[in-house]
Amino acid sequence: VGSRLIADLQGALGTNRVRSRPLELHLFGGDAGTERGEVLAAVFPKDGRQVAEVVGVAASHGVPVVTRGTATGVAGGAVPAEPAVVLVTTHLDGIEIDAGSRMAWVGAGVLNLDLTRKAAENGLYFVPDPSSRAASTVGGNVATDASGPHGLAEGGTASHVLAVEFVTASGEILTAGGAAPDATGLDVRGLLVGSEGTLGIVTRVLVRLVEEPPAVITVAAVFESLEQAAAAVASVIAAGVVPAVLEMMSGNLVRLIDRFVGGLRTGAGALLLAEAAGRPAQVAAQVDVIGEAAWQNGAAGVDRAVEEGDRERLWTARRSSFPSVAQMGAGFRDHDVVVPRRRLVEMVAEIGRIAEEHRLEAYTSIHAGDGNLHPKFVFDPEDTAAEAAVEAASTEIAVAALRLGGSVSGEHGIGMDKRDLMPLQFSAADLEALRRIKDAFDPNGLLNPGKVLPEAQT
Ligand SMILES: Cc1cc2nc3c(=O)[nH]c(=O)nc-3n(C[C@H](O)[C@H](O)[C@H](O)COP(=O)(O)OP(=O)(O)OC[C@H]3O[C@@H](n4cnc5c(N)ncnc54)[C@H](O)[C@@H]3O)c2cc1C
């Protein structure tokens, strides 16, 4: 298969768009998580037609296609579960902004931050802002339904995608959704968002852009414990205020971040970052409510950042939580669960209890507003007992999230990493229905097989 497959791919795309040297294949075999897989060829199509050509060639050789943005995913989504052609989207890179309609057609391989910068030239921005925005692609954000701090008030990626152009397993180029205020028919767009490359290959998306707010203030409050910070979040929400952003970090994480990039007040047990955005009077009122909620729940200090530079320093620090922990050791696991907002205090306590039982230290960042929690663990990969403890703790954390009415993944996706947890959340009948949808889109199982859905129990 090998050399004929490469020759056919080169015939379809041109030699320069196909990579097959051992080092190149190795480079495209992993993502930001721990899984690795076997790559038969890495290809860089330039448009939807070339994507369709790749699907046709792969199908004729009976090999799967795994779509890859920039592989910042941590769940093994872009890692082949079996030998596959890896289709890299980074050359699908056009951006067409229609400022009047506040929409943009964006190539799947455009980096999130590049779209944000381009939109800013028109006083607009793209709401989904994962911490990986400088490195992750819009197509990857769509495929994982990524979220970020601003997902709280405005929703995750799904809320900002109006249409998806995608290539099917049989090589057709289809568009689901559109610019019209209400797309009729089945919501295929909705199915594609979050489908992790298992239903189709996203080539372009039509996204919604929103106007930059006239006033923004960031509040940074420090507490003795994460529980107190979570209680302050509950008080803010109970007061009927939904700030633009509500983020929390455990004190040990704050110390690591401060050592890595600086910019945070250390020495406390937890940090709450809240941002109010909108008209100046509304922002001032929200900041008062947030400050009051913080003091009432035992804050040891509350600071306000008004200048853009001061706010950006705080957010740069927040976005550095993953690398601050990852650089500590060779073995690293960034977990991702979600619970209803009102159960945050309990979930924080559960993470503390589970980590202690396994003698682990959890460095936890939390999108408090939407209930996503990311406990991070470091370990020595040579130490099999330590690795097993992290695995066991991660499963117990997922089970605890389910018990509190949450989900086994908040925003990173299921990929390979969490597919065996799916039966904890879904019944056999639910999973069978999901499998039938997958079969309808991809009857021969050629699009990112071995992901999301666990093996069928026969
Ligand atoms: C430091 C760091 C911080 C992070 N912070 C966040 C965060 O705040 N919020 C968050 O949600 N995630 C976060 N992530 C996870 C990751 O960045 C997101 O899941 C991101 O959306 C992945 O984009 P990508 O281009 O890297 O996709 P990849 O990792 O390349 O792929 C991810 C999945 O999407 C599929 N896919 C990619 N492109 C397409 C396409 N065009 N068509 C079909 N399928 C496709 C792949 O097959 C795979 O299943 C973080 C990761 C890191 C390393």
Side-chain angles (χ1 to χ4, degrees):
V1 174
S3 55
R4 275 191 22 244
L5 172 69
I6 306 284
D8 288 352
L9 289 168
Q10 287 175 336
L13 304 186
T15 321
N16 285 346
R17 295 190 172 276
V18 182
R19 298 271 175 265
S20 60
R21 293 201 198 112
L23 176 61
E24 292 167 331
L25 299 182
H26 180 77
L27 283 175
F28 290 100
D31 68 1
T34 52
E35 312 279 356
R36 291 209 62 83
E38 189 182 339
V39 181
L40 299 172
V43 297
F44 293 76
K46 65 170 187 214
D47 55 25
R49 198 186 49 75
Q50 287 203 338
V51 171
E53 296 267 0
V54 172
V55 170
V57 170
S60 72
H61 286 270
V63 300
V65 177
V66 174
T67 309
R68 172 183 168 115
T70 40
T72 65
V74 289
V79 178
E82 54 190 83
V85 171
V86 168
L87 185 152
V88 187
T89 62
T90 47
H91 293 191
L92 305 171
D93 57 1
I95 304 179
E96 296 159 41
I97 294 193
D98 177 351
S101 313
R102 294 191 195 149
M103 292 179 196
W105 271 107
V106 185
V110 168
L111 296 184
N112 178 302
L113 189 58
D114 286 344
L115 170 59
T116 298
R117 288 198 174 124
K118 189 98 184 154
E121 291 168 13
N122 299 280
L124 300 170
Y125 74 102
F126 180 52
V127 170
D129 57 345
S131 300
S132 58
R133 66 185 190 152
S136 64
T137 64
V138 172
N141 299 160
V142 170
T144 56
D145 190 13
S147 192
H150 284 93
L152 163 60
E154 307 253 15
T157 301
S159 308
H160 301 276
V161 174
L162 299 166
V164 177
E165 181 190 273
F166 66 104
V167 172
T168 66
S170 55
E172 289 163 293
I173 303 177
L174 304 181
T175 302
D182 188 12
T184 52
L186 298 180
D187 185 9
V188 176
R189 175 210 59 90
L191 268 179
L192 263 292
V193 177
S195 64
E196 301 187 35
T198 62
L199 302 183
I201 299 171
V202 177
T203 46
R204 292 199 309 153
V205 284
L206 178 65
V207 300
R208 196 162 72 83
L209 301 172
V210 302
E211 224 172 305
E212 285 176 342
V216 185
I217 295 180
T218 305
V219 178
V222 291
F223 297 86
E224 280 298 303
S225 69
L226 267 179
E227 282 85 349
Q228 282 179 335
V233 167
S235 302
V236 171
I237 302 291
V241 166
V242 182
V245 182
L246 276 173
E247 295 285 309
M248 297 188 333
M249 283 164 273
S250 58
N252 57 355
L253 177 58
V254 170
R255 283 187 286 282
L256 281 189
I257 294 174
D258 192 63
R259 243 186 283 152
F260 193 52
V261 290
L264 294 179
R265 200 207 279 207
T266 58
L271 174 68
L272 172 65
L273 290 180
E275 191 159 276
R279 288 189 307 281
Q282 174 200 356
V283 168
Q286 286 198 356
V287 166
D288 285 346
V289 171
I290 295 164
E292 210 166 296
W295 290 122
Q296 273 172 7
N297 287 284
V302 180
D303 298 325
R304 289 176 187 199
V306 180
E307 298 304 323
E308 164 111 32
D310 295 336
R311 292 194 303 103
E312 195 40 43
R313 244 187 310 284
L314 288 172
W315 291 116
T316 299
R318 165 64 189 90
R319 281 194 289 270
S320 304
S321 62
F322 182 115
S324 304
V325 186
Q327 53 89 33
M328 288 208 342
F332 170 60
R333 167 124 192 176
D334 187 20
H335 205 351
D336 158 50
V337 291
V338 62
V339 294
R341 263 195 311 237
R342 68 196 158 77
R343 312 302 293 269
L344 261 185
V345 178
E346 290 161 89
M347 191 63 218
V348 162
E350 283 290 282
I351 291 171
R353 180 186 64 72
I354 293 167
E356 198 176 315
E357 266 175 32
H358 291 278
R359 294 165 200 255
L360 296 168
E361 182 153 9
Y363 300 90
T364 306
S365 59
I366 304 173
H367 302 310
D370 45 15
N372 283 350
L373 301 103
H374 301 297
K376 303 170 215 317
F377 300 106
V378 276
F379 57 93
D380 174 0
E382 307 279 299
D383 180 347
T384 46
E387 188 162 5
V390 169
E391 250 342 281
S394 300
T395 303
E396 285 172 37
I397 287 170
V399 170
L402 287 173
R403 201 171 49 239
L404 294 173
S407 175
V408 297
S409 167
E411 55 182 22
H412 289 172
I414 300 298
M416 251 195 278
D417 211 34
K418 289 196 164 173
R419 68 184 200 133
D420 293 337
L421 296 177
M422 290 286 274
L424 298 175
Q425 183 167 347
F426 295 95
S427 70
D430 289 339
L431 288 174
E432 189 44 40
L434 295 177
R435 235 173 248 123
R436 285 205 296 271
I437 293 172
K438 163 75 174 163
D439 289 346
F441 275 84
D442 180 23
N444 299 318
L446 292 176
L447 296 180
N448 209 3
K451 306 295 171 62
V452 184
L453 297 175
E455 294 296 331
Q457 302 293 315
T458 46

